[in-house]
Amino acid sequence: MQETTAEKTSDEAMFDKDIRGYDSLGELADLLEGLDHVFIRQKVMMLEAVTMGCVEQKNIYTVLTPTGDAILTCREVSDFKSRCCCNPLHSLTIEMYKGTGGGDGNDDAFFTGVGSNAVQSDDDALYTAERPGCCCGKPGLCCPACTDSCTDTMTLHEGHCKGHAGDLESPQPLLMVRQEMAYESPFHPALEIMPAKKGGANSGFAKATHMVNGPMFFGGCVELCCSSNWIFSGKTSKSEEGRITKQKPASLEDAMREMLTDADLYRLDFTAGMENSAKAALITSTLLLDYMFFERDMGVCKPTVGSGDGPGCSTTICNCYCCGCVCPCTCSSGNNNDSHKD
């Protein structure tokens, strides 16, 4: 026992004393008690699918138990203009409700602002996830991750927070998920999980305790035949504590969903003995990586209009990560250019 105590670093001792975030995840941690894995399913938004992403709707995610029971519903709150002009880099908050709460079943009514896609004011929200985005202090999200304004983040707050991303009223941060800088992880996407310190919203965050590391190539046609794994591990120990799997289609219906929409299915695996608070951090990390890496895929195939003699099709083979930028590898067919004809 004396040797174990002596092995504690000064940083770990500081965490024991100053960290607030992981101890305050209460109800969400209770919902995950005893589960060795959960699923996160993104809802297909019909108008968005029909218009091939030209009309961008607010995302809805459901956290499901292995038996298919909903334990958490996560509903995006964002501005229509920024969502349609800046997606998927736009500013947003996500309200998290127990079970299937937080909506009235009218998930597609966004033109009028009616229904669950309107700005939520429901104080029953368990948590609020805040992503500043390019509309609020992060103008360089499409650039190499060299400064704070170029790195994506998502902060999990306790309860319902009124206001907009970057300007929340009385925020109560629990933890932050932050994209690593380009020099820290140049060729593989990596996210750091930093718990909030005690002392209120202005106390900042402690050093990262966990990491999520992903593959260099992901998305596109690769998604149709291969699942991509994102490893959740300790920051210093590097030992795997959990895993996020972007699942490949299991049926023809799933394949069509993958090809024509950006609605995704994730499986989150938890190792034996994993803290429930760390499970909650893994859910927040999954929401952020979906916006960062998979929302930019509006289906594997999409129609294109060129200068040739007919419509064409652009197919995303895969996405490549480099220094904070996501570079699509695509091929196109159709749109023959008359200038190449004899």
Side-chain angles (χ1 to χ4, degrees):
M1 177 64 69
Q2 291 180 351
E3 182 179 354
T4 303
T5 304
E7 288 176 351
K8 270 196 170 186
T9 67
S10 58
D11 286 340
E12 288 172 332
M14 181 271 291
F15 289 161
D16 292 342
K17 179 178 64 176
D18 291 342
I19 284 182
R20 165 187 183 259
Y22 288 173
D23 296 331
S24 305
L25 285 165
E27 192 162 357
L28 179 53
D30 292 341
L31 292 173
L32 299 169
E33 180 68 39
L35 296 176
D36 60 359
H37 71 277
V38 297
F39 296 95
I40 297 183
R41 178 176 289 276
Q42 183 180 355
K43 181 176 180 179
V44 175
M45 309 308 290
M46 294 308 299
L47 189 55
E48 180 178 325
V50 170
T51 61
M52 297 298 292
C54 293
V55 177
E56 184 68 29
Q57 295 180 264
K58 301 176 185 180
N59 289 339
I60 298 176
Y61 303 88
T62 307
V63 182
L64 305 167
T65 65
T67 58
D69 297 323
I71 58 175
L72 198 69
T73 299
C74 309
R75 299 178 179 271
E76 177 187 333
V77 179
S78 59
D79 178 75
F80 175 74
K81 292 180 181 178
S82 63
R83 189 169 63 251
C84 289
C85 296
C86 304
N87 180 72
L89 307 176
H90 60 293
S91 304
L92 59 93
T93 58
I94 297 176
E95 301 283 3
M96 300 183 182
Y97 299 88
K98 186 176 180 180
T100 57
D104 58 8
N106 193 10
D107 294 324
D108 293 326
F110 68 97
F111 279 120
T112 60
V114 177
S116 60
N117 264 350
V119 174
Q120 299 291 328
S121 58
D122 191 347
D123 292 334
D124 292 335
L126 299 178
Y127 304 95
T128 301
E130 175 194 19
R131 183 205 190 194
C134 65
C135 307
C136 183
K138 300 285 185 177
L141 288 185
C142 57
C143 304
C146 300
T147 66
D148 286 340
S149 64
C150 304
T151 54
D152 220 334
T153 63
M154 183 171 282
T155 304
L156 185 67
H157 299 272
E158 186 176 4
H160 173 75
C161 296
K162 297 181 180 179
H164 304 282
D167 187 27
L168 296 180
E169 298 178 16
S170 303
Q172 302 182 62
L174 300 173
L175 60 90
M176 175 187 286
V177 182
R178 184 188 74 89
Q179 176 188 7
E180 278 202 333
M181 296 287 187
Y183 66 87
E184 296 175 294
S185 181
F187 301 118
H188 293 274
L191 304 175
E192 293 183 326
I193 292 91
M194 301 180 292
K197 293 181 180 179
K198 295 178 180 178
N202 297 322
S203 299
F205 296 88
K207 292 183 179 180
T209 58
H210 292 84
M211 295 283 299
V212 175
N213 291 281
M216 182 177 183
F217 298 98
F218 52 86
C221 291
V222 173
E223 293 181 342
L224 298 178
C225 55
C226 301
S227 297
S228 61
N229 295 311
W230 303 67
I231 307 303
F232 181 80
S233 62
K235 174 71 173 179
T236 54
S237 67
K238 306 297 183 183
S239 59
E240 182 175 339
E241 297 184 20
R243 178 174 297 202
I244 303 169
T245 302
K246 170 67 168 58
Q247 293 201 298
K248 65 180 181 180
S251 64
L252 179 60
E253 179 183 353
D254 290 344
M256 295 302 294
R257 169 192 175 109
E258 193 70 58
M259 291 178 66
L260 301 176
T261 75
D262 61 358
D264 299 310
L265 175 63
Y266 299 90
R267 172 174 169 145
L268 280 61
D269 288 287
F270 313 128
T271 57
M274 184 177 180
E275 294 289 337
N276 291 328
S277 54
K279 297 178 184 179
L282 195 55
I283 291 177
T284 307
S285 302
T286 305
L287 296 178
L288 179 58
L289 72 84
D290 182 66
Y291 279 100
M292 288 180 63
F293 304 118
F294 296 103
E295 277 295 290
R296 62 187 69 238
D297 261 354
M298 186 55 217
V300 173
C301 302
K302 63 182 85 173
T304 59
V305 179
S307 59
D309 54 4
C313 178
S314 176
T315 302
T316 302
I317 305 301
C318 67
N319 291 314
C320 175
Y321 182 88
C322 181
C323 297
C325 297
V326 177
C327 307
C329 303
T330 62
C331 65
S332 300
S333 61
N335 291 329
N336 296 322
N337 196 321
D338 292 336
S339 62
H340 295 288
K341 293 182 180 181
D342 293 333

